[in-house]
Amino acid sequence: MQRRRSNLRNKIYIIVFRSDTRAGRFFDIVLLWLIILSILLVFMESVEGFRRLYQPQIRLLEWVFTFTFTIEYILRIYSTRNTRRYVFSFYGMVDLLALLPGYFALLLQGGQYFIVLRAIRLLRVFRILKLTRYLYEGNILGKAVKASLYKITVFLSAVITLVTIVGTLMYVIEGEQHGFNSIPESIYWAIVTVTTVGYGDVSPATPLGRLVASMLMIIGYGIIAVPTGIVSVEMARATNDAQEPCPQCKAPVEKGKANYCSNCGSKL
Amino acid sequence: MQRRRSNLRNKIYIIVFRSDTRAGRFFDIVLLWLIILSILLVFMESVEGFRRLYQPQIRLLEWVFTFTFTIEYILRIYSTRNTRRYVFSFYGMVDLLALLPGYFALLLQGGQYFIVLRAIRLLRVFRILKLTRYLYEGNILGKAVKASLYKITVFLSAVITLVTIVGTLMYVIEGEQHGFNSIPESIYWAIVTVTTVGYGDVSPATPLGRLVASMLMIIGYGIIAVPTGIVSVEMARATNDAQEPCPQCKAPVEKGKANYCSNCGSKL
Amino acid sequence: MQRRRSNLRNKIYIIVFRSDTRAGRFFDIVLLWLIILSILLVFMESVEGFRRLYQPQIRLLEWVFTFTFTIEYILRIYSTRNTRRYVFSFYGMVDLLALLPGYFALLLQGGQYFIVLRAIRLLRVFRILKLTRYLYEGNILGKAVKASLYKITVFLSAVITLVTIVGTLMYVIEGEQHGFNSIPESIYWAIVTVTTVGYGDVSPATPLGRLVASMLMIIGYGIIAVPTGIVSVEMARATNDAQEPCPQCKAPVEKGKANYCSNCGSKL
Amino acid sequence: MQRRRSNLRNKIYIIVFRSDTRAGRFFDIVLLWLIILSILLVFMESVEGFRRLYQPQIRLLEWVFTFTFTIEYILRIYSTRNTRRYVFSFYGMVDLLALLPGYFALLLQGGQYFIVLRAIRLLRVFRILKLTRYLYEGNILGKAVKASLYKITVFLSAVITLVTIVGTLMYVIEGEQHGFNSIPESIYWAIVTVTTVGYGDVSPATPLGRLVASMLMIIGYGIIAVPTGIVSVEMARATNDAQEPCPQCKAPVEKGKANYCSNCGSKL
C-alpha cells in the first residue's frame, strides 16, 4: 500500500512538475491555456456590457478556475519530495499568490483584479516549454540593462531634478487658472512633456509658459538620446563579449579573436 | 499559323514580363501610374465632398481601371510559358488580389477599400525599374531586423506583461468615472502611454493614478532605448560583417575590397 | 577720378563682402542683428494685440528695414568685381530673395510672411563669423545623413506603405462617425500615431479600432529604432573615417592607422 | 579660553563640513532629510486642499526650517577656517541661496517657490555620502555630452530654423480660425510636433495643413535619430578611449589592463 501510494506520488510528480513526458507536456499546455483563459475572464468581467449580461456565468467560471488551480496546488504539495522547499520557493510562492485572488474575488468586491498576477505564472510555462533560446536572449538584455544601471540612475536623478524645477516654475508662471493646480500636478505635466507623451490634459496657455515648455521639449528631445546611447553601448559590449577564460591564467580572453592571452602572454 | 501565334505570344511576354526593351519599360511605367491613379481614386472616393459631386465619374473610372487590369492579367496568363507556375507564384497571386477588389467595389458596398492592396503591386515595379540598390539596402535592414527578432520578441513580451499589469492597476485606481471603463481599455491607455503616443482621449485624473502614470512614462522613456540599442548593434554587425582577418597578421581587412593587408602589407 | 572711384569701390568691397577688417566685421554684426530684428518684427506683427496697437510703427519699421537691405544690395552689386557672377551665385540669389518680401509686404496682403526666408541669410553671417568649426561638425552630420540616404529612403517607403494600409483599414473600421472622415484623414491619423506624436484630435473609439491602433503603436515603437540604428552606424563610420588618399594609387587609406595601402600594397 | 574656543570651532567644523566621523555622517543625513522635508512642504502648500486646512501649521513648519537652516549657515561661517573662501565658493553660494527663499516666503507672496532651489543642496549630500561611483558615471555621461556639444549645437540650429519656417508656413495655411493665432504660437506648435510631444491643444484642421504637419512629423521622426546617433558614438568613444595600439603589431590593446598583446603576444 505504502509502495503503491509512493508510486502514484511519483507519477503525479512527473506529470505536474516535469515536462519531458507526453503527459507532463500535455498538463503544462492545458495549464497555460487555463491561466490565459482565467485572465481573459477577468478582462471580460471588467467590461460593463459583459458584466451585466453574463454575471452569473462569469462567477461560475471563476469558481471553476479557482477550484482547478486549488487542486493543482494540492497535487503539487502532495507530490513534491520536499514540501517546505517547494512552498517557500519562488515558483511555490507565485503558485499560491495566483490562487488566493480567486478566493478574494469571491469574498471581496474588486478582489478579482489581483488575478492578473497570475500572468507571472506564465513565466514557468515559458521555462517549461523549452523556450530557453528566448530566455538566453532575455539574459543578454538583462545583463546590458544591469551593466548600465549606475549610468541610468544618474540619468534618472538628473531628469527628476529637471522636472521638479521646471514643474515648480510652470506652477508659478501658469498658475491655477490654466490647469497647473499644484506643484505635484505641474511636475506630472513636466514628466508628460519631457518623456514626449504629451496627453494635452494640462497644457500651457501663456506665452511665457509656452516658451518654457518649448525649451523643456527640446531638452527632452535631446536627452532621450542619453539612455539610448547608454544601452546601445552596453548591448554592443554584452554581445561582443564572447569571452572565455585563458587556459593558463584564467583571465578572460576574446574567443576566436585573440592569439595570445593578454594577461600572461601564453599562446592560445 | 501556330508559329505566328507563338511569335505574338513571345512579343507580349517580352513587353509584359520584362523591362529590358523600350516597349517593356514603357509598359511598366504606364502600369506604375495606373496603379497609383487607381489608389488615389479610392482615396478621393472616401472624401465626402468628392463622392457627392463626382460619384458617376468615379464609378466609371473604376470600371476602366478594373477592365484594364483584367486585360493585363489575361495577357500575362496568355503569354507566360508556365501558366500554373505564374498563377501560384507570389507576384501572380498579388496580381489576382489586385484585380478582385475592383469587382468587389462594383458589387459590394465598401469593397473598393481592398483596392489599397494594389499598393503591393508597386513592389514589382520597384524591382523592375532597376532599383536594385534600394532593394539591397532593404536587404541589410531586413537582415538586421531578422537577427534581432529573438531579442525583440523577448522585449515585446516584457512590454505586453508590463502594460497588462499597469492597465489593470489603473482600472482599479481610476475606475470608470475617469474614462478607464474596462481593463482592455486601460491596457489600451497603457500602450498609448508607454509608446509615448499620448492621445489624451483617456488620461489619469486622480493623484495616485498620475503617480503611476508618471512612473510608467519614465519606464517607457527608458525602455524605448532597448529596441534602438538592439537594432543599432545588429546593424553595425551587418555592416561590419564584410571584414575578415588578414591571413598573415590577423588584422581585420575588408572582405573582397582590399588587395593588400593595411597592417602588414602582405598580398591577400 | 576713375582711380578714386575704383578705390572707393574697393573699400566698400572690403567692408561689405569680407570680414577680416574691423569695419567689415562691424558691418557683418550690424547686418546679423538687422536680419534678426526684421524677422522678430514679422513675428510681432502676427500677434493680434501688437498689430492692433502698433500697426503704423510696424509698417514704418518694415519700410526702414526694406530700404536698408535695398541699399546693402545696391552696394554689393556696385562693389563686386563680377556683377553677373554675384547676382547668380547662391548668396546673391538669397540676398535678392531676402529683399523682395519687403516689397511684397508693402503691396500684398500677407506678403510679409516671406520675410522669414531672410533666415537663410543668417547662413552667410554664420560663415563669416568664423564659425567654421560648427560648419565642419555640420559637414560630418551631413555626410552621415547622406551616407544613410538610401537606407532611409527604403525605410520611409516601408513606413508610407504601412500608414496607407493601416489608414485605409481604420477608415473602414472606425468610419466617419468617429472622426475618420476619409482615407487621407485616416492616413494623417496613422502618421500622427506611428511617429508617436499623438495629438488626440482624431482617436479610435471602437474596441477593434483601438486594437489595431495598439498594434500600430507598438510597431511604431519598434521601428523608431531603425533610423536611429542607421544614423548611429553611419555617424560612427563618418567619425572614424579619418581617411587620406594613398600617395601611390590615390585609394583612401585610414590616416595614422594603416601601415600599407590596402589597394596597391605600397608602404605609407 | 582662546584655546577652548578654537577647540569647539574645530569640533563643529568636523561635524558640519566633514562626514568621516559618526557625528558628521549623522549631521549630513539629518540635513538631507530636512532639505527633502522642506521641499515636500512647499509641494503640499501648493495643493489647495492642504493649504486651506493646514495653512497655520505649514507656516509654522516653514519658520522652523528657515530657522534651522539659518543656524546651520551661521555654524558653517563660524567654524570655517577661511570665511571669505567659503561664502564665495559654489557650495557657500548654494547654501545662502537655499536659505533666502525661506525669508522671502515669509515676506513675499509666492516667495516660497524659490525653496525648490534647495534641491541643489542635495548635490552636496550626494557627494558626501560617498556616492562617488555615481558621480564617476555622471562624469562619463558629462564627458560624452560635452564632446558632442558642437554637433548638438549645429543640430539644434537646424531644428530651430526648421520650426521657424514650418511655423510661419502653418500660420499662413491654417490661420487664426484654427488656433494658429500668431507666428510664435505656430512655432510653439511646430516644436510640440517635431519633438513628438503632440499635446493636441493646437492641431491642423485643413487638408493642406495636415499634409505639411505629416511631413514635419516624418522629418521629426527621422531627425530624432541624429542626437541619439551623436551621443551613442561619443559614449562608445568615451568608453573605448581606454585602448592604445600595440607597439609591436599595432593591434588595439586595453590601456593599463593588458600585460601582453592579445594579437602578437609581445610584452607591453
Side-chain angles (χ1 to χ4, degrees), chain B residues 5 18 20 47 90 105 115 119-120 127 140 155 180-181 188 209 242 244-245:
Chain B
R5 206 189 144 185
R18 278 159 56 179
D20 46 5
V47 181
F90 174 69
I115 286 174
I120 305 171
R127 197 190 53 149
I140 283 192
F155 171 72
F180 292 77
N181 294 316
Y188 161 75
E244 56 183 357

XYZ file of all heavy atoms in Angstrom, chain B residues 5 18 20 47 90 105 115 119-120 127 140 155 180-181 188 209 242 244-245:
160
model
N 1.403 32.721 -83.997
C 0.804 32.928 -82.692
C 1.875 32.868 -81.598
O 1.935 33.701 -80.707
C -0.250 31.844 -82.444
C -1.284 32.368 -81.468
C -2.215 31.291 -81.021
N -2.545 31.540 -79.629
C -3.262 30.732 -78.880
N -3.708 29.598 -79.383
N -3.521 31.033 -77.640
N 9.016 41.510 -69.063
C 10.380 42.014 -68.938
C 10.447 43.516 -69.126
O 9.474 44.140 -69.530
C 11.281 41.296 -69.960
C 11.726 39.926 -69.391
C 12.156 38.969 -70.452
N 13.208 39.523 -71.280
C 13.766 38.851 -72.288
N 13.373 37.609 -72.576
N 14.699 39.415 -73.015
N 13.579 45.053 -70.319
C 14.870 45.400 -70.917
C 14.720 45.913 -72.347
O 15.711 46.225 -72.996
C 15.843 44.218 -70.845
C 15.207 42.921 -71.258
O 14.035 42.960 -71.694
O 15.856 41.867 -71.149
N -13.469 60.749 -49.672
C -13.737 62.120 -49.225
C -15.170 62.466 -49.615
O -15.523 62.392 -50.795
C -12.753 63.124 -49.869
C -13.031 64.531 -49.377
C -11.322 62.724 -49.563
N 4.243 34.230 -56.161
C 3.907 35.363 -55.298
C 3.303 36.508 -56.111
O 2.233 37.019 -55.793
C 5.158 35.842 -54.548
C 4.927 37.091 -53.738
C 4.129 37.063 -52.599
C 5.474 38.309 -54.127
C 3.901 38.216 -51.854
C 5.237 39.460 -53.380
C 4.457 39.402 -52.255
N -15.734 46.109 -55.525
C -16.169 47.504 -55.412
C -17.455 47.728 -56.178
O -18.310 48.518 -55.786
C -15.081 48.431 -55.918
N -8.902 47.829 -52.685
C -8.062 48.250 -53.802
C -6.711 48.728 -53.303
O -5.701 48.640 -54.001
C -8.792 49.343 -54.621
C -9.912 48.691 -55.432
C -7.837 50.094 -55.520
C -10.800 49.654 -56.164
N -1.296 48.422 -53.658
C -0.005 49.014 -53.318
C 1.095 47.960 -53.347
O 2.255 48.251 -53.667
C -0.070 49.670 -51.944
N 0.721 46.710 -53.033
C 1.723 45.637 -53.043
C 2.304 45.463 -54.444
O 3.464 45.109 -54.615
C 1.106 44.320 -52.529
C 0.495 44.535 -51.147
C 2.143 43.211 -52.481
C -0.320 43.359 -50.663
N 11.044 46.552 -58.338
C 12.044 45.577 -58.724
C 12.443 45.774 -60.185
O 13.615 45.707 -60.557
C 11.478 44.165 -58.532
C 12.522 43.093 -58.514
C 11.862 41.743 -58.566
N 10.931 41.664 -59.707
C 10.653 40.552 -60.384
N 11.186 39.422 -60.030
N 9.816 40.564 -61.397
N 19.840 44.677 -46.178
C 20.642 44.876 -44.970
C 19.735 45.176 -43.793
O 19.841 44.561 -42.723
C 21.662 46.036 -45.173
C 22.833 45.546 -46.021
C 22.175 46.539 -43.826
C 24.006 46.509 -46.022
N 11.668 41.355 -25.739
C 11.375 42.726 -25.350
C 9.881 43.001 -25.403
O 9.300 43.542 -24.448
C 12.132 43.671 -26.282
C 11.758 45.101 -26.138
C 12.138 45.809 -25.017
C 11.007 45.727 -27.107
C 11.784 47.136 -24.876
C 10.652 47.047 -26.973
C 11.032 47.751 -25.854
N -11.511 55.130 -17.557
C -10.899 53.806 -17.604
C -12.019 52.781 -17.447
O -12.163 52.136 -16.422
C -9.839 53.658 -16.512
C -8.634 54.528 -16.724
C -8.681 55.880 -16.448
C -7.458 53.994 -17.224
C -7.576 56.693 -16.654
C -6.349 54.802 -17.428
C -6.414 56.150 -17.148
N -12.810 52.617 -18.531
C -14.077 51.881 -18.441
C -13.938 50.380 -18.246
O -14.842 49.738 -17.749
C -14.900 52.139 -19.702
C -15.331 53.582 -19.792
O -15.767 54.169 -18.807
N -15.181 54.181 -20.959
N -5.197 49.549 -23.315
C -5.048 50.451 -24.464
C -4.396 51.763 -24.015
O -3.445 52.242 -24.640
C -6.423 50.703 -25.093
C -6.517 51.908 -25.980
C -5.974 51.907 -27.253
C -7.175 53.061 -25.556
C -6.068 53.018 -28.069
C -7.274 54.180 -26.363
C -6.714 54.155 -27.614
O -6.802 55.256 -28.410
N -3.287 57.902 -9.557
C -3.235 57.497 -10.962
C -2.145 58.238 -11.716
O -1.436 57.656 -12.536
N 31.436 42.476 -43.389
C 32.224 42.370 -44.601
C 33.716 42.400 -44.282
O 34.519 42.748 -45.113
C 31.843 43.504 -45.551
N 37.251 40.317 -42.655
C 37.839 39.037 -42.278
C 39.272 39.301 -41.803
O 39.860 40.308 -42.156
C 37.830 38.067 -43.470
C 38.528 38.618 -44.694
C 38.452 37.681 -45.892
O 37.904 36.573 -45.746
O 38.955 38.049 -46.956
N 39.813 38.419 -40.975
C 41.186 38.670 -40.511
C 42.204 38.410 -41.619
O 42.035 37.495 -42.423
C 41.347 37.678 -39.360
C 40.357 36.600 -39.639
C 39.232 37.227 -40.385
